[in-house]
Amino acid sequence: MDLKELQNNWDEFGKTDPLWAILTDPNRKGGKWDPEEFFALGRREIAGLMRTVQAFGLPARREAALDFGCGVGRLTQALCAWFDRSCGVDIAPSMIELARQYNAHGGKCEYFLNAHSDLQIFPDDSFDLVYSKIVLQHMEPQYSTSYIKEFVRVLRPGGLVVFQIPDRPRAAQPPGQAACGPMPDGGFRAKLTGHPASIHAIGGSRISVPVTIQNVSECTWPSRGDRDLRFLVHLGNHWLTPQGETVVWDDRRQPLPYDLPPNASIQTDISVTAPLAAGKYILELDMVQEAVAWFKHKSSPTAWVQAEIDSAPIPVAVAAAGAQPRMEAHGVEKDQVIDILTAAGAKVLDIVPDSSAGPEWIGFQYFATKL
C-alpha cells in the first residue's frame, strides 16, 4: 500500500485498537491491554537496549533520541529516562493524539506527525539515538529503504541507529537467487487462475481479489530488485471498459514473497481500488517486471474479471475511514540494508537475528553509527 493508504490504515488502528496494533498479543485484542503493563514493557525494552549498546560505548552523547513509528509513545516515553529529550514520529494522526494524551514527561517528550517518505521535518545531525522496532516491516521496501537512509542523515556523528526489519520469508526458498536484471522474453510467461469470474463493489472501495500465480516461463522470477527497486516481478492490475479500453492503467502492486522458479505456483491476494464512476468494467490482472515490461506486452495472457461498480452511497473518504485495517509484512534483504547504511555514511557495528516479525520471517536487528 502507498503512504496515504498506510496512513489511513494505521489511523484506523489508532481509533479502534491502538495498543493491540502495536503489540499484537492475541489475548489482548479488543482493548484488553492494560496501559500500565503496556508502557512498562516499553521501559523494559529500552533498558535492555541501553545495556546492549554499552558494549559499543555509544551514543557519545545523550541529548536527543528519536523513536520512529512511535505509535502511542510506548518507547518514546521510556527513552526519557536515558536522554534529555525524546521525540516520537508516526504516520497516524490518531496515534500521535493518543501519544500526547499518554505523555507523562511534559516538554521533555515531543510527538510529530509525518506522512512523507522522508524525515524532512528534522534537520541533519539532530539525534544521538535513532530507534525503530516492529515498524519498517509494515511498509513496502521503497519506503522502508528511504527511511533507513534518513535515519543516518538525522543521526549525529558518534550517534547510534538501531532498527529491526525482516530479511525474507522463512518459507522454502528456491535454490540460488534470480538474476537481478531484465529477464529474457521467454521469462515473461504467466498463468493466472483462482480468481473470481466477477466482482460487485462500490466505487472507490478496496477489493481483495485472490489469485493463483504460476510461472510457466523458462527462468526464475526475481522477488527483489536492485537498489532502485528495478527488475523485481510484481502482480499488478488495470481497469478497462467492457470493450477493453483503459480506464486506470496502473492501480496496485502485489510483491512475490520469494523468487519464483519455473513451474512453481503461489496463492496470493491483490487489493485493488474500484473506479469511482458507477458502471461495468473489466479488472485485468497481469504480471510486471519493474522498469522492463508488463507481461501482456510480451504476449503473455492476462486474466480478466468482470466487475460491476455501484455509486458510493456516502463519500469515499468516509467509507475508507471505516474500512477494516490490515497489517502488511515486507522485508529487505540484509545485503541491501548494509549497502544502504554504508552509502549513507554509516558504519555497521553489529547485526543480530531478530524474530519480531514472527516465526514465518527471517529477520535482523541492525546497529550502526555515523562516521
Side-chain angles (χ1 to χ4, degrees):
M1 59 180 75
D2 62 24
L3 277 184
K4 184 60 180 176
E5 186 181 357
L6 189 71
Q7 182 180 49
N8 291 338
N9 194 69
W10 283 91
D11 194 48
E12 190 65 23
F13 273 127
K15 295 173 182 176
T16 56
D17 204 353
L19 305 191
W20 174 83
I22 295 165
L23 290 180
T24 54
D25 183 336
N27 296 320
R28 311 303 175 91
K29 191 171 185 178
K32 295 178 182 177
W33 265 111
D34 173 64
E36 178 52 41
E37 181 186 4
F38 178 84
F39 282 96
L41 288 174
R43 294 191 292 271
R44 187 184 308 169
E45 179 175 329
I46 294 302
L49 169 70
M50 299 310 294
R51 287 194 298 269
T52 298
V53 303
Q54 284 180 353
F56 305 125
L58 298 172
R61 298 187 293 180
R62 292 190 180 181
E63 295 177 8
L66 177 65
D67 174 17
F68 177 81
C70 65
V72 301
R74 182 179 70 98
L75 302 177
T76 323
Q77 292 202 58
L79 286 165
C80 288
W82 303 88
F83 292 84
D84 297 335
R85 174 172 171 256
S86 178
C87 298
V89 61
D90 203 275
I91 197 171
S94 61
M95 292 288 191
I96 291 294
E97 182 180 349
L98 284 170
R100 288 169 177 162
Q101 292 176 18
Y102 279 122
N103 182 22
H105 297 273
K108 186 174 181 178
C109 188
E110 298 181 82
Y111 294 99
F112 300 84
L113 179 67
N114 181 60
H116 301 285
S117 60
D118 53 35
L119 294 173
Q120 60 182 271
I121 58 175
F122 302 116
D124 296 358
D125 306 335
S126 294
F127 298 101
D128 302 299
L129 174 74
V130 177
Y131 186 64
S132 184
K133 191 74 175 287
I134 326 178
V135 176
L136 296 174
Q137 66 191 47
H138 293 307
M139 60 187 73
E140 295 183 6
Q142 61 178 309
Y143 303 120
S144 59
T145 54
S146 175
Y147 287 127
I148 292 171
K149 295 175 188 176
E150 286 288 273
F151 291 170
V152 180
R153 182 186 66 79
V154 301
L155 187 69
R156 288 173 179 159
L160 188 68
V161 56
V162 183
F163 62 90
Q164 157 272 336
I165 190 170
D167 178 286
R168 63 188 184 279
R170 199 175 291 277
Q173 188 82 350
Q177 186 175 11
C180 185
M183 296 189 300
D185 285 352
F188 291 82
R189 298 291 181 269
K191 184 177 181 181
L192 304 177
T193 59
H195 53 81
S198 62
I199 54 176
H200 191 178
I202 294 173
S205 65
R206 297 300 304 278
I207 314 161
S208 182
V209 181
V211 189
T212 298
I213 304 169
Q214 184 178 7
N215 180 353
V216 292
S217 78
E218 60 187 29
C219 66
T220 297
W221 295 345
S223 61
R224 307 182 191 279
D226 65 4
R227 191 173 297 175
D228 297 319
L229 300 179
R230 300 176 302 170
F231 311 130
L232 67 166
V233 171
H234 280 147
L235 171 66
N237 76 287
H238 320 297
W239 288 98
L240 313 176
T241 68
Q243 294 75 36
E245 298 175 353
T246 301
V247 177
V248 178
W249 174 252
D250 204 354
D251 177 18
R252 199 61 57 178
R253 296 284 202 276
Q254 176 63 30
L256 298 175
Y258 46 78
D259 295 350
L260 197 65
N263 300 316
S265 299
I266 58 168
Q267 293 180 324
T268 188
D269 293 85
I270 183 169
S271 182
V272 301
T273 303
L276 290 175
K280 295 184 182 297
Y281 296 88
I282 294 169
L283 171 64
E284 183 177 42
L285 304 174
D286 193 11
M287 306 300 294
V288 59
Q289 185 177 34
E290 302 295 350
V292 182
W294 288 88
F295 280 37
K296 67 183 294 183
H297 294 152
K298 299 286 187 177
S299 301
S300 181
T302 60
W304 281 18
V305 178
Q306 302 295 324
E308 185 171 350
I309 306 302
D310 295 338
S311 298
I314 56 177
V316 172
V318 177
Q324 183 69 27
R326 70 187 193 279
M327 293 185 187
E328 291 187 348
H330 302 276
V332 178
E333 193 174 41
K334 180 170 65 174
D335 288 347
Q336 184 180 3
V337 174
I338 294 172
D339 287 346
I340 291 169
L341 288 169
T342 303
K347 177 183 178 182
V348 178
L349 301 173
D350 199 8
I351 301 171
V352 299
D354 182 275
S355 59
S356 301
E360 66 272 23
W361 285 91
I362 294 172
F364 299 98
Q365 187 174 42
Y366 297 82
F367 298 78
T369 188
K370 189 169 183 176
L371 302 176

